[in-house]
mmCIF file of all heavy atoms in Angstrom:
data_model
loop_
_atom_site.group_PDB
_atom_site.id
_atom_site.type_symbol
_atom_site.label_atom_id
_atom_site.label_comp_id
_atom_site.label_asym_id
_atom_site.label_seq_id
_atom_site.Cartn_x
_atom_site.Cartn_y
_atom_site.Cartn_z
ATOM 1 N N SER A 78 -19.866 -7.741 72.689
ATOM 2 C CA SER A 78 -19.391 -9.120 72.459
ATOM 3 C C SER A 78 -20.101 -9.728 71.259
ATOM 4 O O SER A 78 -20.940 -9.090 70.630
ATOM 5 C CB SER A 78 -19.625 -9.976 73.700
ATOM 6 O OG SER A 78 -20.998 -10.019 73.957
ATOM 7 N N GLY A 79 -19.781 -10.938 70.953
ATOM 8 C CA GLY A 79 -20.353 -11.617 69.776
ATOM 9 C C GLY A 79 -19.236 -12.395 69.110
ATOM 10 O O GLY A 79 -18.041 -12.121 69.376
ATOM 11 N N GLY A 80 -19.612 -13.338 68.281
ATOM 12 C CA GLY A 80 -18.631 -14.232 67.680
ATOM 13 C C GLY A 80 -17.573 -13.510 66.867
ATOM 14 O O GLY A 80 -16.368 -13.701 67.078
ATOM 15 N N LEU A 81 -18.022 -12.622 65.997
ATOM 16 C CA LEU A 81 -17.087 -11.913 65.105
ATOM 17 C C LEU A 81 -16.142 -11.026 65.912
ATOM 18 O O LEU A 81 -14.931 -11.031 65.715
ATOM 19 C CB LEU A 81 -17.942 -11.063 64.159
ATOM 20 C CG LEU A 81 -17.333 -10.296 63.013
ATOM 21 C CD1 LEU A 81 -18.463 -9.871 62.087
ATOM 22 C CD2 LEU A 81 -16.543 -9.111 63.388
ATOM 23 N N SER A 83 -15.286 -11.218 69.123
ATOM 24 C CA SER A 83 -14.250 -11.901 69.911
ATOM 25 C C SER A 83 -13.172 -12.498 69.019
ATOM 26 O O SER A 83 -11.991 -12.506 69.387
ATOM 27 C CB SER A 83 -14.826 -12.924 70.894
ATOM 28 O OG SER A 83 -15.925 -13.549 70.351
ATOM 29 N N TRP A 153 -31.578 -12.139 57.293
ATOM 30 C CA TRP A 153 -31.414 -13.055 58.439
ATOM 31 C C TRP A 153 -32.438 -14.198 58.403
ATOM 32 O O TRP A 153 -32.045 -15.377 58.400
ATOM 33 C CB TRP A 153 -31.452 -12.258 59.760
ATOM 34 C CG TRP A 153 -31.340 -13.124 60.964
ATOM 35 C CD1 TRP A 153 -32.346 -13.727 61.660
ATOM 36 C CD2 TRP A 153 -30.107 -13.542 61.608
ATOM 37 N NE1 TRP A 153 -31.839 -14.476 62.695
ATOM 38 C CE2 TRP A 153 -30.480 -14.375 62.696
ATOM 39 C CE3 TRP A 153 -28.757 -13.281 61.381
ATOM 40 C CZ2 TRP A 153 -29.536 -14.943 63.544
ATOM 41 C CZ3 TRP A 153 -27.824 -13.856 62.243
ATOM 42 C CH2 TRP A 153 -28.208 -14.679 63.304
ATOM 43 N N HIS A 157 -31.506 -18.166 57.240
ATOM 44 C CA HIS A 157 -31.627 -19.206 58.272
ATOM 45 C C HIS A 157 -32.849 -20.099 58.007
ATOM 46 O O HIS A 157 -33.362 -20.737 58.912
ATOM 47 C CB HIS A 157 -31.711 -18.582 59.661
ATOM 48 C CG HIS A 157 -30.406 -18.040 60.156
ATOM 49 N ND1 HIS A 157 -29.977 -16.769 59.897
ATOM 50 C CD2 HIS A 157 -29.403 -18.622 60.861
ATOM 51 C CE1 HIS A 157 -28.781 -16.571 60.443
ATOM 52 N NE2 HIS A 157 -28.403 -17.685 61.028
ATOM 53 N N ASP A 198 -19.622 -10.238 56.937
ATOM 54 C CA ASP A 198 -20.996 -10.600 57.242
ATOM 55 C C ASP A 198 -22.125 -10.020 56.382
ATOM 56 O O ASP A 198 -21.903 -9.151 55.553
ATOM 57 C CB ASP A 198 -21.267 -10.392 58.724
ATOM 58 C CG ASP A 198 -21.985 -11.600 59.313
ATOM 59 O OD1 ASP A 198 -22.244 -12.540 58.546
ATOM 60 O OD2 ASP A 198 -22.276 -11.610 60.513
ATOM 61 N N PHE A 220 -16.200 -12.407 54.291
ATOM 62 C CA PHE A 220 -16.554 -13.617 55.041
ATOM 63 C C PHE A 220 -18.000 -13.530 55.505
ATOM 64 O O PHE A 220 -18.414 -12.520 56.080
ATOM 65 C CB PHE A 220 -15.633 -13.816 56.247
ATOM 66 C CG PHE A 220 -15.825 -15.168 56.869
ATOM 67 C CD1 PHE A 220 -15.144 -16.271 56.369
ATOM 68 C CD2 PHE A 220 -16.732 -15.357 57.895
ATOM 69 C CE1 PHE A 220 -15.368 -17.544 56.900
ATOM 70 C CE2 PHE A 220 -16.965 -16.619 58.426
ATOM 71 C CZ PHE A 220 -16.270 -17.712 57.925
ATOM 72 N N HIS A 222 -20.708 -14.881 58.036
ATOM 73 C CA HIS A 222 -20.747 -15.607 59.310
ATOM 74 C C HIS A 222 -22.012 -16.439 59.491
ATOM 75 O O HIS A 222 -22.078 -17.278 60.373
ATOM 76 C CB HIS A 222 -20.614 -14.621 60.470
ATOM 77 C CG HIS A 222 -19.243 -14.053 60.579
ATOM 78 N ND1 HIS A 222 -18.305 -14.514 61.477
ATOM 79 C CD2 HIS A 222 -18.615 -13.080 59.875
ATOM 80 C CE1 HIS A 222 -17.179 -13.842 61.323
ATOM 81 N NE2 HIS A 222 -17.336 -12.958 60.359
ATOM 82 N N ILE A 223 -23.018 -16.174 58.664
ATOM 83 C CA ILE A 223 -24.271 -16.947 58.793
ATOM 84 C C ILE A 223 -24.336 -17.957 57.637
ATOM 85 O O ILE A 223 -23.496 -17.899 56.734
ATOM 86 C CB ILE A 223 -25.501 -16.004 58.812
ATOM 87 C CG1 ILE A 223 -25.666 -15.263 57.478
ATOM 88 C CG2 ILE A 223 -25.401 -15.011 59.964
ATOM 89 C CD1 ILE A 223 -26.975 -14.473 57.377
ATOM 90 N N HIS A 255 -18.361 -20.812 56.483
ATOM 91 C CA HIS A 255 -17.982 -21.741 57.557
ATOM 92 C C HIS A 255 -17.905 -23.192 57.096
ATOM 93 O O HIS A 255 -17.131 -23.965 57.634
ATOM 94 C CB HIS A 255 -19.013 -21.691 58.679
ATOM 95 C CG HIS A 255 -18.937 -20.459 59.524
ATOM 96 N ND1 HIS A 255 -17.773 -20.001 60.068
ATOM 97 C CD2 HIS A 255 -19.900 -19.593 59.939
ATOM 98 C CE1 HIS A 255 -18.022 -18.904 60.784
ATOM 99 N NE2 HIS A 255 -19.296 -18.633 60.711
ATOM 100 N N ILE A 294 -14.783 -20.952 61.439
ATOM 101 C CA ILE A 294 -14.225 -20.047 62.473
ATOM 102 C C ILE A 294 -13.938 -20.837 63.746
ATOM 103 O O ILE A 294 -14.665 -21.776 64.097
ATOM 104 C CB ILE A 294 -15.201 -18.871 62.758
ATOM 105 C CG1 ILE A 294 -14.499 -17.765 63.535
ATOM 106 C CG2 ILE A 294 -16.453 -19.325 63.462
ATOM 107 C CD1 ILE A 294 -15.297 -16.474 63.633
ATOM 108 N N PHE A 301 -10.017 -19.973 77.058
ATOM 109 C CA PHE A 301 -10.966 -20.759 77.851
ATOM 110 C C PHE A 301 -10.249 -21.763 78.747
ATOM 111 O O PHE A 301 -10.715 -22.058 79.845
ATOM 112 C CB PHE A 301 -11.991 -21.434 76.924
ATOM 113 C CG PHE A 301 -12.932 -20.428 76.326
ATOM 114 C CD1 PHE A 301 -12.621 -19.786 75.132
ATOM 115 C CD2 PHE A 301 -14.087 -20.044 76.995
ATOM 116 C CE1 PHE A 301 -13.459 -18.810 74.598
ATOM 117 C CE2 PHE A 301 -14.932 -19.067 76.465
ATOM 118 C CZ PHE A 301 -14.613 -18.450 75.266
ATOM 119 N N VAL A 330 -26.727 -21.046 76.493
ATOM 120 C CA VAL A 330 -26.710 -19.588 76.386
ATOM 121 C C VAL A 330 -26.882 -19.226 74.909
ATOM 122 O O VAL A 330 -26.175 -19.752 74.043
ATOM 123 C CB VAL A 330 -25.417 -18.977 76.993
ATOM 124 C CG1 VAL A 330 -24.162 -19.546 76.388
ATOM 125 C CG2 VAL A 330 -25.393 -17.446 76.867
ATOM 126 N N ARG A 332 -28.504 -15.887 72.126
ATOM 127 C CA ARG A 332 -29.238 -14.651 71.927
ATOM 128 C C ARG A 332 -30.711 -15.015 71.750
ATOM 129 O O ARG A 332 -31.022 -16.116 71.306
ATOM 130 C CB ARG A 332 -28.762 -13.959 70.637
ATOM 131 C CG ARG A 332 -27.657 -13.000 70.818
ATOM 132 C CD ARG A 332 -27.301 -12.241 69.575
ATOM 133 N NE ARG A 332 -27.370 -13.019 68.347
ATOM 134 C CZ ARG A 332 -28.419 -13.056 67.528
ATOM 135 N NH1 ARG A 332 -29.506 -12.350 67.806
ATOM 136 N NH2 ARG A 332 -28.382 -13.767 66.433
ATOM 137 N N LYS A 337 -32.719 -19.947 67.166
ATOM 138 C CA LYS A 337 -32.041 -20.725 68.208
ATOM 139 C C LYS A 337 -32.877 -21.915 68.681
ATOM 140 O O LYS A 337 -32.406 -22.712 69.481
ATOM 141 C CB LYS A 337 -31.673 -19.831 69.389
ATOM 142 C CG LYS A 337 -30.739 -18.673 69.026
ATOM 143 C CD LYS A 337 -29.359 -19.152 68.593
ATOM 144 C CE LYS A 337 -28.443 -17.997 68.246
ATOM 145 N NZ LYS A 337 -27.140 -18.412 67.761
ATOM 146 N N ASN A 365 -29.923 -19.482 79.746
ATOM 147 C CA ASN A 365 -29.566 -18.062 79.757
ATOM 148 C C ASN A 365 -29.803 -17.464 78.385
ATOM 149 O O ASN A 365 -29.225 -17.919 77.393
ATOM 150 C CB ASN A 365 -28.095 -17.906 80.144
ATOM 151 C CG ASN A 365 -27.816 -16.499 80.633
ATOM 152 O OD1 ASN A 365 -27.623 -16.277 81.822
ATOM 153 N ND2 ASN A 365 -27.849 -15.529 79.750
ATOM 154 N N ILE A 367 -29.724 -14.049 75.988
ATOM 155 C CA ILE A 367 -29.121 -12.715 75.907
ATOM 156 C C ILE A 367 -30.094 -11.808 75.166
ATOM 157 O O ILE A 367 -30.514 -12.144 74.055
ATOM 158 C CB ILE A 367 -27.787 -12.758 75.126
ATOM 159 C CG1 ILE A 367 -26.901 -13.901 75.603
ATOM 160 C CG2 ILE A 367 -27.064 -11.425 75.186
ATOM 161 C CD1 ILE A 367 -26.424 -13.805 77.006
ATOM 162 N N LYS A 407 -30.472 -12.061 80.646
ATOM 163 C CA LYS A 407 -29.457 -11.010 80.774
ATOM 164 C C LYS A 407 -28.082 -11.500 80.329
ATOM 165 O O LYS A 407 -27.864 -12.706 80.168
ATOM 166 C CB LYS A 407 -29.420 -10.441 82.182
ATOM 167 C CG LYS A 407 -29.302 -11.435 83.316
ATOM 168 C CD LYS A 407 -29.171 -10.734 84.635
ATOM 169 C CE LYS A 407 -30.527 -10.298 85.186
ATOM 170 N NZ LYS A 407 -30.646 -10.515 86.644
ATOM 171 N N HIS A 408 -27.187 -10.546 80.202
ATOM 172 C CA HIS A 408 -25.819 -10.794 79.795
ATOM 173 C C HIS A 408 -25.059 -11.441 80.944
ATOM 174 O O HIS A 408 -25.345 -11.183 82.110
ATOM 175 C CB HIS A 408 -25.206 -9.439 79.418
ATOM 176 C CG HIS A 408 -23.940 -9.557 78.658
ATOM 177 N ND1 HIS A 408 -22.717 -9.457 79.262
ATOM 178 C CD2 HIS A 408 -23.703 -9.773 77.344
ATOM 179 C CE1 HIS A 408 -21.774 -9.605 78.336
ATOM 180 N NE2 HIS A 408 -22.350 -9.795 77.169
ATOM 181 N N LEU A 409 -24.100 -12.302 80.617
ATOM 182 C CA LEU A 409 -23.240 -12.911 81.643
ATOM 183 C C LEU A 409 -21.848 -12.304 81.529
ATOM 184 O O LEU A 409 -21.399 -12.019 80.412
ATOM 185 C CB LEU A 409 -23.088 -14.412 81.371
ATOM 186 C CG LEU A 409 -24.301 -15.308 81.559
ATOM 187 C CD1 LEU A 409 -24.129 -16.579 80.713
ATOM 188 C CD2 LEU A 409 -24.452 -15.664 83.018
ATOM 189 N N SER A 410 -21.171 -12.173 82.665
ATOM 190 C CA SER A 410 -19.765 -11.744 82.562
ATOM 191 C C SER A 410 -18.969 -12.928 81.994
ATOM 192 O O SER A 410 -19.430 -14.082 82.054
ATOM 193 C CB SER A 410 -19.219 -11.349 83.928
ATOM 194 O OG SER A 410 -19.064 -12.523 84.704
ATOM 195 N N PHE A 411 -17.772 -12.639 81.480
ATOM 196 C CA PHE A 411 -16.967 -13.725 80.911
ATOM 197 C C PHE A 411 -16.687 -14.796 81.973
ATOM 198 O O PHE A 411 -16.724 -15.993 81.698
ATOM 199 C CB PHE A 411 -15.658 -13.147 80.349
ATOM 200 C CG PHE A 411 -14.782 -14.185 79.715
ATOM 201 C CD1 PHE A 411 -15.156 -14.800 78.531
ATOM 202 C CD2 PHE A 411 -13.573 -14.567 80.325
ATOM 203 C CE1 PHE A 411 -14.343 -15.771 77.949
ATOM 204 C CE2 PHE A 411 -12.766 -15.542 79.746
ATOM 205 C CZ PHE A 411 -13.159 -16.141 78.553
ATOM 206 N N LEU A 414 -19.752 -16.898 82.517
ATOM 207 C CA LEU A 414 -19.955 -17.773 81.364
ATOM 208 C C LEU A 414 -19.027 -18.993 81.462
ATOM 209 O O LEU A 414 -19.458 -20.146 81.330
ATOM 210 C CB LEU A 414 -19.667 -16.981 80.077
ATOM 211 C CG LEU A 414 -19.832 -17.712 78.768
ATOM 212 C CD1 LEU A 414 -21.322 -17.935 78.464
ATOM 213 C CD2 LEU A 414 -19.216 -16.919 77.605
ATOM 214 N N TYR A 418 -19.857 -22.971 81.913
ATOM 215 C CA TYR A 418 -19.331 -23.982 80.976
ATOM 216 C C TYR A 418 -18.618 -25.106 81.751
ATOM 217 O O TYR A 418 -18.801 -26.288 81.490
ATOM 218 C CB TYR A 418 -18.304 -23.369 80.025
ATOM 219 C CG TYR A 418 -18.834 -22.513 78.882
ATOM 220 C CD1 TYR A 418 -18.011 -21.514 78.330
ATOM 221 C CD2 TYR A 418 -20.078 -22.710 78.314
ATOM 222 C CE1 TYR A 418 -18.433 -20.734 77.254
ATOM 223 C CE2 TYR A 418 -20.505 -21.930 77.239
ATOM 224 C CZ TYR A 418 -19.689 -20.946 76.718
ATOM 225 O OH TYR A 418 -20.113 -20.186 75.659
ATOM 226 N N ASP A 431 -27.695 -22.371 62.390
ATOM 227 C CA ASP A 431 -26.663 -21.478 62.932
ATOM 228 C C ASP A 431 -25.454 -21.579 62.007
ATOM 229 O O ASP A 431 -25.038 -22.695 61.664
ATOM 230 C CB ASP A 431 -26.288 -21.944 64.352
ATOM 231 C CG ASP A 431 -25.924 -20.756 65.237
ATOM 232 O OD1 ASP A 431 -25.484 -19.724 64.694
ATOM 233 O OD2 ASP A 431 -26.065 -20.880 66.462
ATOM 234 N N GLY A 432 -24.926 -20.428 61.610
ATOM 235 C CA GLY A 432 -23.780 -20.423 60.700
ATOM 236 C C GLY A 432 -22.692 -21.335 61.228
ATOM 237 O O GLY A 432 -22.219 -22.238 60.532
ATOM 238 N N MET A 433 -22.271 -21.114 62.477
ATOM 239 C CA MET A 433 -21.298 -21.982 63.124
ATOM 240 C C MET A 433 -21.802 -22.377 64.495
ATOM 241 O O MET A 433 -22.152 -23.476 64.761
ATOM 242 C CB MET A 433 -19.934 -21.256 63.217
ATOM 243 C CG MET A 433 -18.883 -22.011 64.002
ATOM 244 S SD MET A 433 -18.586 -23.686 63.417
ATOM 245 C CE MET A 433 -17.574 -23.396 62.011
ATOM 246 N N ASN A 434 -21.833 -21.468 65.433
ATOM 247 C CA ASN A 434 -22.144 -21.574 66.849
ATOM 248 C C ASN A 434 -20.872 -21.779 67.648
ATOM 249 O O ASN A 434 -20.334 -22.885 67.775
ATOM 250 C CB ASN A 434 -23.157 -22.671 67.179
ATOM 251 C CG ASN A 434 -23.665 -22.477 68.604
ATOM 252 O OD1 ASN A 434 -22.883 -22.513 69.559
ATOM 253 N ND2 ASN A 434 -24.932 -22.215 68.749
ATOM 254 N N LEU A 435 -20.400 -20.678 68.182
ATOM 255 C CA LEU A 435 -19.142 -20.704 68.924
ATOM 256 C C LEU A 435 -19.335 -21.190 70.357
ATOM 257 O O LEU A 435 -18.392 -21.698 70.962
ATOM 258 C CB LEU A 435 -18.517 -19.303 68.930
ATOM 259 C CG LEU A 435 -18.051 -18.834 67.554
ATOM 260 C CD1 LEU A 435 -17.482 -17.441 67.621
ATOM 261 C CD2 LEU A 435 -16.997 -19.794 66.988
ATOM 262 N N VAL A 436 -20.567 -21.045 70.869
ATOM 263 C CA VAL A 436 -20.809 -21.483 72.245
ATOM 264 C C VAL A 436 -20.475 -22.979 72.363
ATOM 265 O O VAL A 436 -19.861 -23.412 73.347
ATOM 266 C CB VAL A 436 -22.279 -21.175 72.640
ATOM 267 C CG1 VAL A 436 -22.649 -21.862 73.934
ATOM 268 C CG2 VAL A 436 -22.478 -19.661 72.746
ATOM 269 N N GLU A 439 -16.802 -23.249 72.665
ATOM 270 C CA GLU A 439 -16.322 -22.718 73.948
ATOM 271 C C GLU A 439 -16.625 -23.694 75.078
ATOM 272 O O GLU A 439 -15.828 -23.877 75.992
ATOM 273 C CB GLU A 439 -16.981 -21.366 74.221
ATOM 274 C CG GLU A 439 -16.516 -20.290 73.239
ATOM 275 C CD GLU A 439 -17.353 -19.012 73.289
ATOM 276 O OE1 GLU A 439 -18.288 -18.931 74.111
ATOM 277 O OE2 GLU A 439 -17.061 -18.099 72.514
HETATM 278 C C1 GDG B 232 -22.669 -15.192 64.098
HETATM 279 C C2 GDG B 232 -23.343 -16.435 63.522
HETATM 280 C C3 GDG B 232 -21.305 -17.763 64.070
HETATM 281 C C4 GDG B 232 -22.861 -14.891 74.211
HETATM 282 N N1 GDG B 232 -23.521 -14.561 75.323
HETATM 283 C C5 GDG B 232 -22.620 -14.042 76.156
HETATM 284 C C6 GDG B 232 -21.386 -14.070 75.551
HETATM 285 N N2 GDG B 232 -21.568 -14.592 74.349
HETATM 286 C C7 GDG B 232 -20.509 -14.825 73.371
HETATM 287 C C8 GDG B 232 -20.205 -16.311 73.299
HETATM 288 C C9 GDG B 232 -19.727 -16.458 71.885
HETATM 289 C C10 GDG B 232 -20.519 -15.391 71.137
HETATM 290 O O1 GDG B 232 -20.953 -14.453 72.100
HETATM 291 C C11 GDG B 232 -21.744 -15.935 70.454
HETATM 292 O O2 GDG B 232 -21.325 -16.887 69.511
HETATM 293 P P1 GDG B 232 -22.114 -17.184 68.195
HETATM 294 O O3 GDG B 232 -21.399 -18.272 67.488
HETATM 295 O O4 GDG B 232 -23.550 -17.424 68.476
HETATM 296 O O5 GDG B 232 -21.880 -15.804 67.412
HETATM 297 P P2 GDG B 232 -22.768 -14.605 66.828
HETATM 298 O O6 GDG B 232 -21.872 -13.452 66.634
HETATM 299 O O7 GDG B 232 -23.951 -14.358 67.640
HETATM 300 O O8 GDG B 232 -23.214 -15.149 65.431
HETATM 301 C C12 GDG B 232 -22.828 -17.680 64.211
HETATM 302 C C13 GDG B 232 -20.675 -16.472 64.547
HETATM 303 O O9 GDG B 232 -21.239 -15.309 63.928
HETATM 304 C C14 GDG B 232 -19.173 -16.474 64.271
HETATM 305 O O10 GDG B 232 -18.907 -16.551 62.918
HETATM 306 O O11 GDG B 232 -20.840 -18.818 64.881
HETATM 307 O O12 GDG B 232 -23.414 -18.818 63.629
HETATM 308 O O13 GDG B 232 -24.752 -16.320 63.695
HETATM 309 O O14 GDG B 232 -18.366 -16.141 71.787
HETATM 310 O O15 GDG B 232 -19.262 -16.623 74.266
HETATM 311 N N3 GDG B 232 -20.269 -13.635 76.148
HETATM 312 C C15 GDG B 232 -20.392 -13.148 77.399
HETATM 313 N N4 GDG B 232 -21.585 -13.070 78.041
HETATM 314 C C16 GDG B 232 -22.719 -13.517 77.463
HETATM 315 O O16 GDG B 232 -23.778 -13.429 78.075
HETATM 316 N N5 GDG B 232 -19.306 -12.731 78.019
#
Side-chain angles (χ1 to χ4, degrees):
S78 61
L81 186 166
S83 36
W153 178 271
H157 286 88
D198 226 0
F220 190 85
H222 289 261
I223 65 172
H255 286 310
I294 195 169
F301 290 89
V330 56
R332 269 186 322 95
K337 301 294 181 183
N365 200 107
I367 313 295
K407 51 176 82 139
H408 195 262
L409 291 157
S410 71
F411 181 69
L414 181 73
Y418 284 154
D431 213 334
M433 174 55 78
N434 194 299
L435 293 179
V436 168
E439 292 168 2

